[in-house]
Amino acid sequence: MFPSQNIDVLIKDFQKDKAMALFLGAGTDLSWVYPEGERYDSFRKSVDANLLNWNNLLTELTQNACINNKEIRAIKRMSSNSLKAAILKQKLGDSYIHVIRNWLYSHCNRGTLQDSYKYFKKYQEEPTLDNLREVPFGTLYVLAEMILRQDSIKAVITQNYNNFLSETIKILIEEDIKNGSNRYGSRQKLKPIDVYDGWMDYPLDNDTFLIYHVHGYIPPPSEMLPKKESNHIVLSDEEFYQLSKDVFSWQNVTQINYLSHYTCVLLGLSLEDMTTLRLLRHANIEKSSERVYWIRGGESGFKGDKDKITLRLLSEYYESQHLYVVNDSEGYNDLYHELLEAIKNKSPKSVNI
């Protein structure tokens, strides 16, 4: 089945209310925002400098860890991000987590997300792709809206360290109650909970929505850090090795369980990531009839005939591993917009490839 058809199958799974889990990579925190009156293309350089991505996080760690420009240049020349992180972690010591926390929440916090709601409200009132492009942290808002509108989405498994998604869900619920719109029906009672290593369990009810932070969690500065401060996130080589070695860790067991028994949607994840491929391979051994979809915004390619052949070959291989590619050559914004509109309308739509 070619990727243009896979989105229709995914939408049918939404229509059937199949139990689903969303798997989120770091790409789901990207903010393609520019000031009102400015066009994105003319503002891109300064936008890129503020993106919440691994490269910019490593740049921040490097600036704090290195004592001179020679060290900074040496770190930048290294090709492995996880090796960079291991060296920087060793150099920063106890301040490693604090630097990451300050960087994360200085770029985005509850106030930032609350201010962004007015842009998303415009998109809600007139859901066009251009309006979505204007929304700061638009991907987060679209994901939160999808979760609130689709009862069958049961959990989120994320590689991100922050509370941005849970806060965005709370903001949408609060605005829905304040406006008296009852846009989300019974999901208005949803209580998002961030789950992480060292999280203290307590009685859960039907309205609890769990967001599993399988690579660790760093709360905002107003909250206490988890006790395992020195090693509770996964970023450096040693942390990836430890997670891979402990096959019975709650992180591995949780992910394999959802991949094996739920319809899963992978967003913002790369299939060049060995961690993702390892989990998919383990889950495939016990695979049920449920599908795993890989959402791919292919704005950088797959437009010409040769690229379409490449995409077809990749898709055929992935489908043999129970993984179905959903591709849109226009990029993630277009694809997320189509998915959200399909969920709202519950009618299949195809996207361009």
Side-chain angles (χ1 to χ4, degrees), residues 1-10 325-326 349-351 353:
M1 184 177 293
F2 210 56
S4 59
Q5 298 169 293
N6 284 341
I7 190 171
D8 292 329
V9 181
L10 172 55
V325 180
V326 178
K349 287 186 176 183
S350 293
V351 293
I353 61 168

Side-chain angles (χ1 to χ4, degrees), residues 215-339:
H215 282 186
Y217 177 68
I218 301 177
S222 60
E223 298 178 15
M224 294 288 290
L225 284 168
K227 289 182 180 179
K228 293 185 179 182
E229 182 180 7
S230 63
N231 62 0
H232 73 276
I233 68 164
V234 178
L235 179 61
S236 68
D237 270 345
E238 61 193 84
E239 293 154 349
F240 277 104
Y241 296 151
Q242 183 62 37
L243 187 62
S244 299
K245 183 176 69 173
D246 188 0
V247 293
F248 298 110
S249 69
W250 74 266
Q251 294 96 327
N252 284 323
V253 170
T254 297
Q255 292 180 86
I256 291 171
N257 175 62
Y258 279 106
L259 286 167
S260 300
H261 303 295
Y262 286 70
T263 296
C264 295
V265 184
L266 313 184
L267 305 110
L269 286 165
S270 170
L271 291 191
E272 295 179 2
D273 180 354
M274 290 306 296
T275 302
T276 303
L277 292 173
R278 173 178 61 83
L279 289 165
L280 287 168
R281 175 64 64 179
H282 284 309
N284 193 38
I285 295 172
E286 302 294 334
K287 190 64 195 168
S288 69
S289 59
E290 302 305 321
R291 291 174 180 244
V292 177
Y293 295 92
W294 179 41
I295 303 298
R296 185 191 185 282
E299 61 274 358
S300 60
F302 295 122
K303 292 181 179 180
D305 289 339
K306 291 182 180 179
D307 288 332
K308 287 182 180 180
I309 294 171
T310 302
L311 182 57
R312 178 177 58 79
L313 292 172
L314 287 172
S315 298
E316 288 173 353
Y317 170 72
Y318 289 140
E319 285 182 24
S320 72
Q321 307 300 308
H322 301 281
L323 183 65
Y324 296 82
V325 180
V326 178
N327 184 74
D328 189 340
S329 62
E330 300 304 317
Y332 282 107
N333 272 330
D334 188 56
L335 188 46
Y336 279 45
H337 169 72
E338 292 283 352
L339 285 173

Side-chain angles (χ1 to χ4, degrees), residues 102-171:
N102 290 337
W103 179 79
L104 281 172
Y105 292 101
S106 64
H107 283 80
C108 180
N109 51 49
R110 171 71 186 219
T112 310
L113 292 168
Q114 189 71 60
D115 290 341
S116 300
Y117 174 73
K118 64 180 180 181
Y119 297 94
F120 189 67
K121 185 178 180 181
K122 291 180 182 177
Y123 172 71
Q124 287 177 314
E125 293 168 350
E126 189 179 347
T128 66
L129 184 57
D130 283 342
N131 283 349
L132 178 58
R133 289 196 182 105
E134 301 277 351
V135 181
F137 301 97
T139 303
L140 280 171
Y141 269 102
V142 169
L143 287 172
E145 179 93 351
M146 287 171 61
I147 290 164
L148 289 169
R149 285 184 175 273
Q150 186 69 30
D151 291 357
S152 63
I153 298 176
K154 303 301 183 184
V156 164
I157 296 88
T158 179
Q159 294 182 2
N160 289 308
Y161 313 137
N162 55 63
N163 70 348
F164 300 161
L165 180 59
S166 59
E167 288 298 313
T168 305
I169 293 171
K170 291 174 186 176
I171 288 168

